[in-house]
């Protein structure tokens, strides 16, 4: 009687251990086979032809919901657009990707800092407290022209930015 009861418990515990080990194996294989969640992918071969990152869609926009969104593309050896306008004191969402190799950028000494990887959309939201102009270097070694790869970011007073943005166009500060 006691032996039979012990055997029953041994079987139950054995099944529990087996299920736990199986869960570890299945989730481990699943995680290593899938891209991480909340990562947006994009085909770098068709970036310039269609979708969010076509040339006419790059720059800064004020969305219908009143959000400021900056879209940019990095390639050897420049950013498009090379001069970005943003308002001071308002949340600004950056969305960027790369066409060829891994690039990245940091905006002056702010915490706006991201890697741009072909095939993925990098996004983050930040606020620039002060107006002024920042340099925006590429900070991932991307080839022989890497040290010439710079952009600029102009932080405008929010009223000045809003006045420009109301025209509904894609803003940038590239001199024409
Ligand atoms: Cu670069």
């Amino acid at each position: 009687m006691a032996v039979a009861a012990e055997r029953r418990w041994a079987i139950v515990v054995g099944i529990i251990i087996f299920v736990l080990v199986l869960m570890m194996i299945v989730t481990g294989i699943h995680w290593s086979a899938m891209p991480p969640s909340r990562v947006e992918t994009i085909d770098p071969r068709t970036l310039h032809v269609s979708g969010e990152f076509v040339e006419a869609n790059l720059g800064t926009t004020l969305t219908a919901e009143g959000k400021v969104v900056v879209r940019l593309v990095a390639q050897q050896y420049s950013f498009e657009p090379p001069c970005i306008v943003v308002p001071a004191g308002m949340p600004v969402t950056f969305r960027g990707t790369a066409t060829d190799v891994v690039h990245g950028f940091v905006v002056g000494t702010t915490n706006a800092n991201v890697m741009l990887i072909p095939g993925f959309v990098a996004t983050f939201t930040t606020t620039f407290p002060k107006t002024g102009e920042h340099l925006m270097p590429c900070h991932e070694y991307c080839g022989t022209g890497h040290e010439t790869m710079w952009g600029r970011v102009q932080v405008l007073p929010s009223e000045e930015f809003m006045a420009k943005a109301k025209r509904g166009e894609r803003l940038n500060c590239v001199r024409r």
Side-chain angles (χ1 to χ4, degrees):
M1 198 58 192
V3 173
E6 273 188 35
R7 188 175 297 129
R8 253 196 327 271
W9 280 111
I11 290 170
V12 169
V13 169
I15 290 171
I16 291 171
I17 292 171
F18 176 77
V19 168
L20 290 175
V21 169
L22 195 71
M23 275 165 60
M24 283 196 283
I25 292 171
V26 169
T27 52
I29 291 173
H30 180 76
W31 282 10
S32 64
M34 294 288 160
S37 62
R38 302 202 301 126
V39 166
E40 278 181 70
T41 56
I42 193 161
D43 187 348
R45 290 164 304 178
T46 56
L47 272 186
H48 60 297
V49 186
S50 63
E52 184 181 344
F53 292 95
V54 294
E55 198 176 355
N57 208 28
L58 300 178
T60 310
T61 41
L62 188 64
T63 66
E65 301 87 56
K67 284 193 199 150
V68 180
V69 180
V70 177
R71 288 191 181 80
L72 76 164
V73 167
Q75 71 242 314
Q76 288 167 322
Y77 295 101
S78 61
F79 294 100
E80 186 58 44
C83 187
I84 291 165
V85 270
V86 292
M90 286 174 70
V92 176
T93 299
F94 283 80
R95 292 178 58 79
T97 189
T99 61
D100 40 28
V101 298
V102 175
H103 299 277
F105 66 82
V106 57
V107 180
T109 54
T110 69
N111 66 352
N113 184 336
V114 77
M115 262 173 100
L116 301 169
I117 303 166
F120 296 91
V121 178
T123 181
F124 65 92
T125 302
T126 189
T127 303
F128 298 96
K130 285 185 281 183
T131 59
E133 186 159 324
H134 299 287
L135 289 172
M136 188 184 88
C138 176
H139 63 30
E140 295 289 339
Y141 181 75
C142 55
T144 51
H146 168 66
E147 72 273 16
T148 66
M149 187 167 171
W150 291 79
R152 286 183 302 129
V153 175
Q154 276 183 3
V155 187
L156 301 178
S158 58
E159 316 81 63
E160 190 182 334
F161 175 86
M162 294 305 271
K164 288 189 179 184
K166 280 201 185 106
R167 282 171 232 148
E169 55 189 73
R170 304 285 182 263
L171 298 175
N172 64 57
C173 45
V174 180
R175 292 188 199 100
R176 270 167 264 235

